[in-house]
């Protein structure tokens, strides 16, 4: 799918940006991003995930041809005079010490162990949480944060397994260091003000604002 989308994007004249929406509970968007990374670096790629607070309820993607329970929607923005500027605002603050990914699952989006302990056990000392029906909803405000290429990336588990593994919508790497994080009000306000100044400097004629589920 990623290679097919890349081929289609390469045929679009004056492509400026690609917006992606995916049903995160049953689609791994990582390979799509890897394929699109071959596009010109000036082309902005952004978007978010469709999901539900209740893992038993699916997310939806609404398109011209119908409503889909599983899929990825790509919207391409093109135009000779079109300029797209992307700004990311997370506002999360690291909590506790870095945790090493000591064992991965059978896919690169499944973390089995952190510091040689079941990944899910990391919530116990900080939040006193154990797996239960509302576990994912209660941990929504405490995603994991990691650093890649000088950027902060937030990952939130979308599911967990009986062996203590955490399932994410994005990929991880063995031995990568991650930390729990929380929403700090002062950091959120500070980040929002920085975004405001950045947007004002760009001077857009239109703004697309999307609040993702924290992936």
């Amino acid at each position: 799918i990623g290679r097919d989308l890349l081929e289609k994007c390469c045929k679009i004249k004056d492509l400026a940006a690609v917006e992606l929406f995916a049903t995160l509970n049953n689609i791994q968007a990582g390979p799509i991003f890897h394929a699109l990374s071959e596009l010109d670096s000036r082309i902005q790629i952004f978007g978010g995930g469709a999901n539900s607070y209740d893992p038993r309820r699916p997310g939806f993607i609404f398109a011209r041809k119908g409503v889909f329970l599983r899929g990825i929607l790509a919207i391409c923005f093109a135009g000779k005079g079109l300029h797209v500027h992307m700004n990311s605002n997370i506002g999360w603050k690291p909590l506790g010490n870095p945790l090493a990914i000591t064992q991965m699952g059978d896919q690169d989006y499944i973390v089995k162990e952190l510091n040689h302990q079941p990944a899910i056990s990391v919530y116990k000392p900080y939040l006193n949480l154990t797996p239960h029906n509302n576990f994912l909803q209660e941990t929504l405000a405490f995603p994991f944060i990691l650093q890649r290429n000088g950027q902060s990336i937030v990952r939130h588990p979308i599911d967990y397994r009986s062996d203590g593994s955490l399932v994410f919508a994005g990929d991880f790497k063995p031995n990568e260091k991650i930390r729990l994080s929380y929403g700090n009000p002062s950091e959120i306000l500070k980040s929002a003000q920085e975004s405001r100044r950045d947007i004002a400097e760009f001077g857009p004629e239109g703004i697309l604002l999307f609040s993702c589920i924290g992936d």
Side-chain angles (χ1 to χ4, degrees):
I1 294 174
R3 302 302 303 180
D4 183 56
L5 179 58
L6 174 64
E7 183 180 348
K8 287 181 170 58
C9 288
C10 289
K11 295 178 181 178
I12 299 176
K13 185 179 179 181
D14 299 320
L15 180 65
V18 180
E19 184 175 19
L20 298 174
F21 294 106
T23 52
L24 295 183
N25 61 329
N26 52 28
I27 285 288
Q28 284 300 316
I32 306 294
F33 286 108
H34 290 314
L36 293 181
S37 67
E38 296 184 22
L39 288 171
D40 190 309
S41 60
R42 292 172 294 181
I43 298 174
Q44 303 288 346
I45 301 174
F46 63 99
N51 210 341
S52 168
Y53 290 115
D54 186 344
R56 295 165 297 182
R57 300 177 62 185
F60 299 92
I61 287 182
F62 296 85
R64 189 176 303 172
K65 294 183 179 180
V67 180
F68 300 90
L69 296 176
R70 183 173 186 266
I72 296 177
L73 173 67
I75 305 172
C76 296
F77 298 83
K80 190 173 183 179
L82 178 62
H83 301 278
V84 178
H85 177 71
M86 185 170 63
N87 180 283
S88 179
N89 186 338
I90 57 174
W92 301 101
K93 189 172 182 179
L95 173 70
N97 297 319
L99 303 165
I101 300 176
T102 49
Q103 186 174 353
M104 300 287 296
D106 53 357
Q107 301 289 340
D108 63 3
Y109 53 85
I110 300 175
V111 176
K112 193 170 184 179
E113 290 186 0
L114 292 170
N115 287 354
H116 302 286
Q117 298 295 323
I120 203 169
S121 66
V122 70
Y123 291 106
K124 182 65 176 177
Y126 292 106
L127 309 176
N128 196 29
L129 291 178
T130 55
H132 58 279
N133 290 339
N134 296 324
F135 178 78
L136 298 181
Q137 185 171 347
E138 292 186 11
T139 58
L140 188 64
F142 301 92
F144 290 91
I145 191 168
L146 65 146
Q147 297 291 324
R148 279 189 190 168
N149 302 319
Q151 291 187 334
S152 296
I153 300 176
V154 175
R155 294 271 192 262
H156 191 281
I158 59 174
D159 201 357
Y160 65 88
R161 294 183 174 178
S162 59
D163 64 355
S165 299
L166 293 175
V167 182
F168 295 83
D171 68 312
F172 287 92
K173 301 175 182 178
N175 300 316
E176 198 164 36
K177 298 291 183 66
I178 63 177
R179 299 174 71 177
L180 272 178
S181 66
Y182 67 99
N184 182 280
S186 61
E187 289 293 327
I188 293 173
L189 291 174
K190 179 182 177 182
S191 182
Q193 289 297 331
E194 291 175 353
S195 294
R196 182 189 64 81
R197 289 190 291 268
D198 183 54
I199 293 171
E201 184 178 345
F202 178 67
E205 294 179 348
I207 298 176
L208 289 175
L209 180 64
F210 185 83
S211 176
C212 192
I213 62 169
D215 182 28

